[in-house]
Amino acid sequence: MYHYLKRSHTWRQIQRTLTLACVLFFTISSSNGFAALLDGMFDGFEESLSQRLAKNGEQLTIGNFYTPERADSHGPIGMMGEHTHNTGELMFSYRYMQMEMNGIRDGTSGLSPMDVRAQGFAVVPTFMRMEMHMFGAMYGVNDTLTLTAMLPYLRNKMDHVAGMPLGAAKFQTRTEGAGDLKIGSLWRLYAFEAPSIGAHRFHLNFNVSLPTGDITHKGTTPLGVIRLPYPMQLGSGTVDLLPGLTYGGAKGNASWGFQTLGTYRIARNKAGYSKGDAYEVGAYGAYAWTNWISNSVRFRWRHWFDYDGQDTKITRPAAQQLVFTADPDLRGGKQLDIMGGVNFLLPEVLGLEHRLGVEGGVPIYQNLDGPQLETDWAVTVGWQVIH
Ligand SMILES: [Cu+2]
């Protein structure tokens, strides 16, 4: 077990400060006019840059968030909230995601089911598949604000070995249903561009996750019909704040971006726990071969923490703990993923812009507060239609 993965007191203070800062920021910014929020705040920077550009006969443009219709003017399909919309634009999206976890890991080393049994667990999960149907909508309210909503529908299944000798008994559990509804907003911060330096755009992400996903799903196990362990549940059970910062750039046929997102649980849920906070930092580069097709490479670092508290219908006293997925202190981890993607801009149909994207990836580093199931790969296929 890795104790640095547990949340410290300092971490919680940072989290409270961040929450307060977010609330304050959005109260202030909502009273601003309809433009990028930080317009007019970098006069010095703009002046020196435009003087430099003027020598080449170029002009600096500030505050233009318009992106030409090109396959890579949206980020890789696995990213969320990586683009904003212009006033009155409406987008619907559907994504199908699948992730498979095969094998067990503690820290960075693999464990066999027998190794896990030797740690005192009677039941050993060996495989999990998570499928998600994600329905999304985005709407450009004005030149500052884009509203977003996302509802996932989840299907999970997990295979286990048990019995004596280990493997004499096998069983599978399944859960299915709606996950947590995320409603949110993207706030344009600042944009500048010129032919020789490309376009650079910044926005803030602010989502709230609402506890619409069930956290009391039951399933049939050798112990009878019981509430299933944490990773099989469909929601967090808590209202979660999801702040973030996104940057996107483009020049010629190339584009790139950076995004950092946090997940902060502001209270424990009804069952008596809160899932761990999390943050991620990612960057990608894309190349448009022509207007309608682009490829991308993305790296994403994620760090998520153990749970606070426990659900006593899932977690048993330590000495009787049967399975690691029921231990709230074996949930944290860190992971670096590499992903490859392709975006297509399809011909307009009935005046609607259509986009198709596929992105798949594998972890190149995984450090789990285990034993836990380890991720093998994940893939996202998505379709977007814009009015
Ligand atoms: Cu959109």
Side-chain angles (χ1 to χ4, degrees), residues 320-361:
Q320 302 165 27
Q321 197 61 271
L322 292 172
V323 60
F324 58 70
T325 47
D327 188 336
D329 289 325
L330 297 177
R331 302 299 316 142
K334 299 187 276 197
Q335 188 170 321
L336 176 66
D337 294 311
I338 181 170
M339 289 164 269
V342 57
N343 280 2
F344 297 98
L345 177 67
L346 304 177
E348 277 198 9
V349 180
L350 303 170
L352 299 174
E353 181 183 325
H354 292 263
R355 289 166 171 276
L356 202 65
V358 182
E359 190 186 31

Side-chain angles (χ1 to χ4, degrees), residues 29-58:
S29 61
S30 53
S31 61
N32 193 325
F34 301 128
L37 296 174
L38 302 182
D39 274 359
M41 289 185 71
F42 302 108
D43 289 346
F45 162 77
E46 291 167 15
E47 204 168 310
S48 66
L49 186 59
S50 55
Q51 276 170 9
R52 196 150 56 83
L53 291 164
K55 283 176 196 158
N56 307 329
E58 284 187 47

Side-chain angles (χ1 to χ4, degrees), residues 12 22-23 49 57 63 69 77 81 96-97 144 146 176 204 222 238 249 261 292 333 340 350 353 357 360 368 382:
R12 278 203 226 181
C22 282
V23 171
L49 186 59
E69 286 185 14
I77 193 72
Y96 172 76
M97 299 175 212
T144 313
T146 296
E176 181 170 347
L204 279 179
T238 48
L261 296 170
W292 56 272
L350 303 170
E353 181 183 325
L368 304 175

Side-chain angles (χ1 to χ4, degrees), residues 12-31:
R12 278 203 226 181
Q13 281 178 337
I14 293 170
Q15 171 189 338
R16 288 209 185 108
T17 315
L18 268 174
T19 309
L20 190 66
C22 282
V23 171
L24 276 175
F25 182 83
F26 289 111
T27 315
I28 296 164
S29 61
S30 53
S31 61

Side-chain angles (χ1 to χ4, degrees), residues 74 83-85 91 138 384 386:
H74 287 192
H83 65 268
T84 57
H85 283 280
M91 182 184 100
M138 298 176 82
Q384 299 172 327
I386 299 156

